[in-house]
Amino acid sequence: MNTDTNTIVSRHTTSNGVVVWRRCACGRLQMALIPYGTDGKPLAAGGHDIQCPHRDR
């Protein structure tokens, strides 16, 4: 699945929430954990390369 600048590589459920792995158009891999319920805060790892034209989006 493509978004404006990302391709979703993997999406799966865990005991804590949904983990989504995406690849930016610059090639960088990013992970996000979206917790179940309303109490948890989302967690993200990875990011855009400093030269990525999509990093401010």
Side-chain angles (χ1 to χ4, degrees):
M1 175 186 290
N2 288 331
T3 61
D4 289 337
T5 60
N6 293 303
T7 299
I8 294 177
V9 177
S10 174
R11 181 182 309 183
H12 58 276
T13 58
T14 69
S15 59
N16 293 323
V18 178
V19 174
V20 179
W21 287 92
R22 358 177 243 227
R23 188 166 303 278
C24 178
C26 73
R28 188 76 152 210
L29 192 60
Q30 303 165 329
M31 182 278 301
L33 169 64
I34 299 93
Y36 296 123
T38 58
D39 295 347
K41 294 182 180 180
L43 173 70
H48 296 283
D49 185 77
I50 193 72
Q51 297 173 345
C52 176
H54 308 290
R55 74 169 196 225
D56 293 328
R57 293 184 185 181

